[in-house]
Amino acid sequence: MKLEGKVALITGSTRGIGYAVASLFLKEGANVAICGSKEENAIHAIEKLKEEIKIEENQVLPIGVNLKDTQSIQTMVEKVIQKWGKIDILVNNAGITSEKSLLDSNDEDFDEMFEVNVFGLLKTTREVVKYMKKTGGSIINTSSMVGINGGRNQVSYAASKFAVNGITKSLAKELGPYQIRVNAIAPGVVGTDMMKERVTEEMKQRLIQMTPLKKMAEPKDLAGAYLYLASEEANFTTGTIIQVDGGLVM
Ligand code: NAD
């Protein structure tokens, strides 16, 4: 098992990509804090995981967190430290999206996008690094193909994901001396609830046609790249943004 004895905190792991990453990390022996915007969703996700894979009782911790609130983020990190005493892997995966033109976007739209996708990620990382500095570790940020190529009517989302890429590279430089590796995954189109809520069947078919692998990813198709970055196999990999998009962006 590749993550035996490791402790992972994964934001946004009650569903979608984060849930699939949590499932694979658990299978590889990690202890995982399952975090979502509501604690009951985290508890429900753990019940679902227990139906799907074999998990030790003490291997999971459900946490409700509001990434717009610094105190809530500090409490999340303290809960993990209280339970397991360290954090080896941080996956900053929680995020929101929006499809609005520049002129349709108001100040609140810009603020909310950055509060969750950028400031929430930065604050979580700061709180975790206070502990991770002592042990070293791996930080994996979820970016997006929109953070590589931009997206029409996605200007605030794109700005937030370009920021995530900048944070990834800057922190790789800053935290390297502590043996903390910082990388990002840039997914293409993934069939999560977030995506299903926004993409029509016609758009989905168009995206599939534009993708060299001629299919849309399921969340589990992303998880292997996170496992690589979390594991010792990536011990000389930092500051990279790995595209996992079926070849859509190149
Ligand atoms: P999702 O909507 O299925 O899940 C989002 C998760 O984030 C949930 O667990 C939710 O509780 C959590 N979350 C949202 N706002 C929060 C807040 N304020 N505080 C705490 N938790 C909060 O999303 P997904 O599709 O799995 O996306 C996960 C990540 O992948 C996001 O960062 C997204 O931008 C990125 N991404 C997704 C796709 C895609 O096609 N689905 C493509 C590229 C990038």
Side-chain angles (χ1 to χ4, degrees):
M1 288 204 274
K2 294 190 174 120
L3 303 179
E4 187 82 65
K6 300 288 183 192
V7 174
L9 189 168
I10 308 177
T11 65
S13 46
T14 55
R15 63 182 209 175
I17 296 169
Y19 179 89
V21 173
S23 176
L24 184 58
F25 282 16
L26 287 163
K27 280 190 223 158
E28 291 292 338
N31 296 317
V32 181
I34 305 289
C35 309
S37 48
K38 293 197 181 116
E39 189 180 4
E40 68 248 38
N41 291 348
I43 291 168
H44 178 71
I46 288 174
E47 282 163 6
K48 199 167 160 239
L49 282 164
K50 282 180 178 165
E51 286 167 17
E52 292 168 2
I53 57 173
K54 197 174 163 304
I55 306 173
E56 303 293 331
E57 195 54 45
N58 255 336
Q59 221 186 328
V60 278
L61 175 66
I63 302 180
V65 61
N66 179 6
L67 290 177
K68 296 186 210 165
D69 180 66
T70 305
Q71 179 61 55
S72 176
I73 291 170
Q74 284 168 343
T75 304
M76 166 178 72
V77 173
E78 279 159 20
K79 280 183 181 169
V80 182
I81 294 296
Q82 262 168 24
K83 186 163 174 72
W84 290 305
K86 62 170 185 170
I87 299 173
D88 303 294
I89 303 156
L90 167 64
V91 182
N92 282 310
N93 169 74
I96 55 170
T97 185
S98 98
E99 269 169 52
K100 274 192 179 177
S101 70
L102 177 67
L103 294 183
D104 283 340
S105 305
N106 58 33
D107 291 358
E108 286 74 31
D109 294 327
F110 295 148
D111 289 346
E112 194 186 18
M113 185 62 71
F114 269 67
E115 268 186 65
V116 179
N117 288 12
V118 181
F119 303 138
L121 179 150
L122 271 177
K123 290 174 190 172
T124 304
T125 306
R126 181 185 62 200
E127 296 310 311
V128 168
V129 166
K130 287 178 186 169
Y131 298 95
M132 201 183 261
K133 258 175 94 166
K134 298 172 198 151
T135 57
S138 173
I139 298 172
I140 307 162
N141 299 321
T142 302
S143 180
S144 168
M145 66 173 181
V146 178
I148 310 270
N149 255 15
R152 186 157 44 95
N153 291 338
Q154 287 188 298
V155 68
S156 48
Y157 182 66
S160 78
K161 294 301 187 181
F162 272 85
V164 168
N165 296 348
I167 290 166
T168 302
K169 288 177 184 289
S170 300
L171 289 183
K173 292 179 179 175
E174 184 176 325
L175 301 177
Y178 302 103
Q179 298 308 308
I180 298 176
R181 298 181 291 102
V182 189
N183 295 285
I185 303 282
V189 188
V190 189
T192 63
D193 295 336
M194 181 200 250
M195 189 40 70
K196 284 172 194 156
E197 283 156 16
R198 291 198 140 70
V199 174
T200 63
E201 186 54 32
E202 190 199 334
M203 278 162 75
K204 185 179 152 186
Q205 290 310 324
R206 204 156 8 108
L207 280 164
I208 289 172
Q209 278 320 307
M210 285 158 63
T211 304
L213 290 180
K214 299 292 174 214
K215 59 186 177 189
M216 183 183 267
E218 292 300 321
K220 64 177 171 45
D221 298 326
L222 277 285
Y226 287 82
L227 175 62
Y228 165 68
L229 290 174
S231 75
E232 279 305 304
E233 281 163 33
N235 73 0
F236 205 57
T237 301
T238 196
T240 61
I241 295 153
I242 299 183
Q243 291 177 225
V244 186
D245 60 9
L248 184 55
V249 174
M250 63 177 163

